[in-house]
Amino acid sequence: MCGIVAYIGQREAAPLILKGLKRLEYRGYDSAGIALLNGDGLKVYKKKGKVADLESILNGKELHAKIGIGHTRWATHGEPNDVNAHPHYSQGQRLAIIHNGIIENYSSIKKSLLAKGYSFDSETDTEVLINFIEDIQKHKACSTEEAVRLALLEVVGAYAIVVIDKDEPGQLIAARKGSPLVIGIGADEYFFASDATPIIEYTKEVVYLDDYEMAVISNGELNIKNLENQQRGAFIQTVELELESIEKGGFDHFMIKEIFEQPKSIADCMRGRLNAETAHIQLGGLHNYMDKLASAKRIVFVACGTSWHAGLVGEYLFEELARINVEVEYASEFRYRNPIIKEGDFVIAISQSGETADTMAALELAKQKGATILGICNVVGSSISRLTHAGVYTHAGPEIGVASTKAFTAQVTVLTMIAIAVAKQKGTIDDGEYRRLLSEMAAIPGKVEQILAQDAEITDIARLFTFAQNFIFLGRGLNFPAALEGALKLKEISYIHAEGYPAAEMKHGPIALIDEDMPVVFIATKDSSYEKVVSNIQEVKARKGRVIAIVNEGDVDVKKIADFCIEIPHSHELVSPLLTSIPLQLLSYHIAVLRGRNVDQPRNLAKSVTVE
Ligand code: G6P
């Protein structure tokens, strides 16, 4: 969702901000803009479309400035157009603002400003906020910094903002509540951004702003305080991100790069944590919580999108291995349901970004109700990772493609490791099974490599289904969530309507859709429900459906009846989603590319959904 980049220092701000906005393109957006402050005043340029469209209107303009703010907007209030794009000027054009989030009480503020004679160019809540700040500044005759603070005390909602003031050329004012904001600290220069990716090229030293905090850069000094005006020191952290990890590295798209990174990202996720040779699992982040987790009465996973699917895999794993009752909740539903939380309950958030608004809110609610809250996040230092009592990072590296791939397999890897560790501690699995599971996990990266080697064959299948209108994905057990994830991947990036179902549910509805035009993807690996899935395939074939099956090497039965088979190595049933999800990612990717879709930035989607 919206991306923020701001700069103050000795470099040329415009090219730096535009490059930073491109680094944030992956978050999803529909317009972009920049405000620059120099001797000629404060100038705002903005444009519907991509950063490249913004650049085209900047051609030939005098952009020389050492301070500026830039934004990519994902429309919430008002359609994506030039006027609604950020930055927004205040009415007197002294101030300009960029904003990520939603001001929920903007209409009442707007009403009072309209009564005072303010008029608005855009339909946005953001323009209301900057005029509110200007109005306070005028009436209280206070500094812009104080006006921002007073305005934010009145605001209900979520925001990360940066404000620039024409009359204070050495100053940037930022604040956050509920939307991410990172400050980069360079030598005599400062950066603000929604995440560290636009910053790491210049500095690895960052400060994460917390909710209800403001950061003011003034005359080369950074000052952090809360909305009550209490100062806090800047806790500087070093980000470990490398520039190569946020570039395409010779691949056509980030998504395919990230799919191919999975042997490494899964290995990185297990590194130093799982050792099959010494039969050892250690999750440092959970060290102090293992006893409590082993005696947990119930675990509730809260998540959205792909991360929710990882939670469903976790449900099977924890119930099967650790015999703990698990519920998997859409964070957006859980947070508004007055959920029953009892002592001894664990609520575990699964989130790639660690910033998803609904997941954050669900966790906050669970924390208030007394649950122990844990996080499984990919982005180090993210809001969720800082809110939780403890957690485990997935260490998959930056995921730039909007459709999640390597983050999903890393989430499943972490969930599997926790479930095995808890089961071992509880004694719900015997030593033989424990050792077997560890070696099965250790073998996953090599097996993923083998599946990736079939990319060309999977592309050939994708070619035959490029123009399908619909798809059904079916699987059972742990491969039911893998089927859901396969359907989600396809619909996200190819815009083909796709449904995932547990294979046995097919008879209760989806079977009515099956005819010669309906491709059905079956996950038919040799596990405890293999025979039943084979029967389901026969039912689809009897109705002339076209079957693509994910099978194990050496499969005989499915091969006789399916139209196309993709073979994957054998594995323990409990780790199989780590393998079955790979060909489904490749299939979706190639179909989307063949349809000419923008796979890394599919329409309407955002990588990090920071508003509810
Ligand atoms: C968005 C993304 C999905 C992601 C979901 C949850 O919808 O496009 O890829 O699965 O948010 O995000 P999270 O960062 O919490 O895992």
Side-chain angles (χ1 to χ4, degrees):
M1 281 193 164
C2 305
I4 281 178
V5 183
Y7 176 77
I8 181 165
Q10 294 313 313
R11 299 175 204 253
E12 281 300 326
L16 184 148
I17 291 171
L18 291 166
K19 191 172 189 188
L21 292 178
K22 285 187 182 161
R23 295 248 188 255
L24 293 180
E25 283 190 307
Y26 78 93
R27 296 169 70 87
Y29 72 108
D30 36 51
S31 53
I34 188 168
L36 297 167
L37 176 59
N38 58 27
D40 296 336
L42 177 60
K43 294 241 169 57
V44 169
Y45 307 92
K46 46 197 197 171
K47 188 80 196 137
K48 177 183 170 184
K50 296 291 175 194
V51 178
D53 298 308
L54 171 66
E55 281 175 324
S56 66
I57 63 158
L58 295 176
N59 270 339
K61 298 244 161 42
E62 171 51 72
L63 301 175
H64 177 66
K66 306 285 165 127
I67 170 171
I69 58 179
H71 190 263
T72 48
R73 171 176 188 255
W74 190 89
T76 56
H77 293 78
E79 63 173 285
N81 59 28
D82 296 355
V83 177
N84 288 332
H86 301 205
H88 288 283
Y89 277 125
S90 62
Q91 192 154 292
Q93 300 209 343
R94 172 174 165 185
L95 309 176
I97 190 172
I98 48 176
H99 167 219
N100 172 9
I102 293 181
I103 306 300
E104 287 170 16
N105 57 340
Y106 85 105
S107 60
S108 60
I109 300 174
K110 188 171 184 177
K111 217 186 259 169
S112 71
L113 290 171
L114 284 168
K116 289 179 179 176
Y118 279 84
S119 61
F120 296 87
D121 294 331
S122 77
E123 300 153 84
T124 65
D125 51 341
T126 307
E127 193 187 7
V128 173
L129 177 59
I130 195 64
N131 281 310
F132 187 38
I133 294 169
E134 185 182 89
D135 190 55
I136 292 174
Q137 190 183 43
K138 273 195 209 146
H139 285 92
K140 301 251 178 205
C142 61
S143 65
T144 307
E145 176 184 336
E146 179 61 0
V148 169
R149 190 183 75 84
L150 294 173
L152 294 180
L153 286 172
E154 302 291 319
V155 154
V156 177
Y159 54 80
I161 57 164
V162 185
V163 173
I164 190 167
D165 179 346
K166 187 172 65 151
D167 295 346
E168 296 284 351
Q171 177 182 276
L172 281 178
I173 302 165
R176 80 157 262 177
K177 196 228 140 190
S179 295
L181 200 59
V182 187
I183 309 163
I185 319 256
D188 296 325
E189 59 181 354
Y190 294 92
F191 307 78
F192 287 102
S194 299
D195 63 41
T197 52
I199 297 175
I200 54 166
E201 212 166 322
Y202 312 99
T203 176
K204 295 270 168 82
E205 312 272 275
V206 299
V207 175
Y208 294 98
L209 210 57
D210 280 328
D211 279 352
Y212 303 105
E213 283 187 341
M214 292 175 63
V216 182
I217 317 277
S218 188
N219 300 319
E221 295 283 322
L222 167 66
N223 184 6
I224 301 180
K225 62 179 186 182
N226 63 19
L227 294 184
E228 306 305 322
N229 250 339
Q230 291 155 327
Q231 312 274 328
R232 76 131 154 130
F235 171 51
I236 300 178
Q237 301 184 45
T238 305
V239 269
E240 312 240 319
L241 274 184
E242 292 306 326
L243 203 52
E244 310 84 73
S245 67
I246 55 168
E247 292 183 335
K248 281 189 205 148
F251 284 89
D252 288 342
H253 300 99
F254 282 108
M255 183 178 175
I256 191 72
K257 173 183 175 237
E258 287 156 9
I259 292 173
F260 271 80
E261 274 171 359
Q262 287 174 108
K264 179 172 180 300
S265 54
I266 296 171
D268 286 346
C269 181
M270 294 191 284
R271 195 180 314 285
R273 294 167 164 176
L274 182 151
N275 187 329
E277 279 162 27
T278 58
H280 197 63
I281 284 198
Q282 185 169 355
L283 295 155
L286 292 186
H287 188 69
N288 297 329
Y289 285 85
M290 282 308 282
D291 289 341
K292 211 171 166 193
L293 200 47
S295 58
K297 297 267 178 316
R298 189 174 70 131
I299 294 175
V300 182
F301 289 117
V302 289
C304 305
T306 289
S307 300
W308 185 78
H309 294 155
L312 290 179
V313 178
E315 177 178 27
Y316 282 88
L317 290 167
F318 275 78
E319 294 198 349
E320 177 65 30
L321 293 171
R323 307 306 295 150
I324 301 175
N325 179 12
V326 175
E327 282 163 36
V328 188
E329 298 271 2
Y330 286 115
S332 53
E333 289 298 313
F334 179 85
R335 63 180 289 196
Y336 288 116
R337 222 190 38 229
N338 192 13
I340 299 164
I341 304 281
K342 298 202 187 109
E343 213 190 316
D345 282 352
F346 272 76
V347 175
I348 305 183
I350 307 172
S351 175
Q352 188 285 127
S353 62
E355 302 292 349
T356 304
D358 282 321
T359 310
M360 287 266 290
L363 264 193
E364 271 160 4
L365 177 71
K367 197 177 195 180
Q368 274 164 27
K369 286 180 175 263
T372 304
I373 58 168
L374 304 180
I376 298 175
C377 297
N378 194 38
V379 177
V380 176
S382 55
S383 302
I384 289 176
S385 64
R386 288 181 294 133
L387 177 71
T388 44
H389 293 116
V392 182
Y393 281 119
T394 46
H395 291 317
E399 189 178 69
I400 310 285
V402 163
S404 186
T405 52
K406 66 173 180 171
F408 172 74
T409 48
Q411 289 166 341
V412 173
T413 303
V414 164
L415 288 163
T416 315
M417 287 192 291
I418 307 175
I420 298 171
V422 174
K424 169 79 172 145
Q425 177 143 343
K426 282 185 83 171
T428 45
I429 50 172
D430 64 28
D431 198 51
E433 179 69 343
Y434 171 70
R435 285 170 185 272
R436 199 170 142 225
L437 282 165
L438 294 195
S439 18
E440 286 279 346
M441 285 298 282
I444 291 289
K447 291 181 184 177
V448 171
E449 199 88 63
Q450 274 174 261
I451 300 170
L452 293 172
Q454 296 178 64
D455 187 39
E457 289 84 338
I458 296 173
T459 314
D460 288 342
I461 299 175
R463 234 172 240 124
L464 299 170
F465 291 92
T466 305
F467 298 104
Q469 304 280 317
N470 300 284
F471 255 88
I472 296 175
F473 288 74
L474 301 173
R476 292 196 74 160
L478 285 102
N479 280 313
F480 156 53
L484 288 179
E485 177 56 13
L488 178 64
K489 269 320 61 112
L490 185 69
K491 98 180 95 181
E492 281 178 317
I493 58 169
S494 70
Y495 319 148
I496 295 174
H497 171 242
E499 299 275 359
Y501 264 90
E505 274 292 303
M506 182 181 72
K507 288 203 204 60
H508 302 286
I511 199 163
L513 302 171
I514 290 170
D515 60 17
E516 62 277 10
D517 293 325
M518 178 61 85
V520 185
V521 178
F522 275 95
I523 303 177
T525 43
K526 201 98 192 178
D527 55 29
S528 49
S529 45
Y530 176 74
E531 270 79 28
K532 295 182 199 306
V533 173
V534 173
S535 305
N536 294 140
I537 297 177
Q538 264 151 350
E539 288 155 7
V540 169
K541 284 313 303 171
R543 287 157 185 85
K544 301 197 167 53
R546 297 207 291 158
V547 171
I548 303 167
I550 312 298
V551 297
N552 283 128
E553 285 163 347
D555 179 278
V556 179
D557 301 344
V558 176
K559 277 202 183 149
K560 282 189 208 144
I561 45 177
D563 299 80
F564 303 94
C565 285
I566 301 169
E567 288 193 24
I568 65 170
H570 287 267
S571 70
H572 192 298
E573 183 168 351
L574 292 180
V575 305
S576 69
L578 289 168
L579 302 179
T580 54
S581 49
I582 310 291
L584 302 187
Q585 295 168 351
L586 287 171
L587 188 66
S588 297
Y589 170 79
H590 289 299
I591 290 178
V593 170
L594 289 160
R595 285 171 81 109
R597 302 303 190 210
N598 182 350
V599 286
D600 283 338
Q601 292 162 42
R603 69 180 179 204
N604 306 338
L605 293 178
K607 180 73 182 157
S608 181
V609 180
T610 50
V611 296
E612 65 172 295

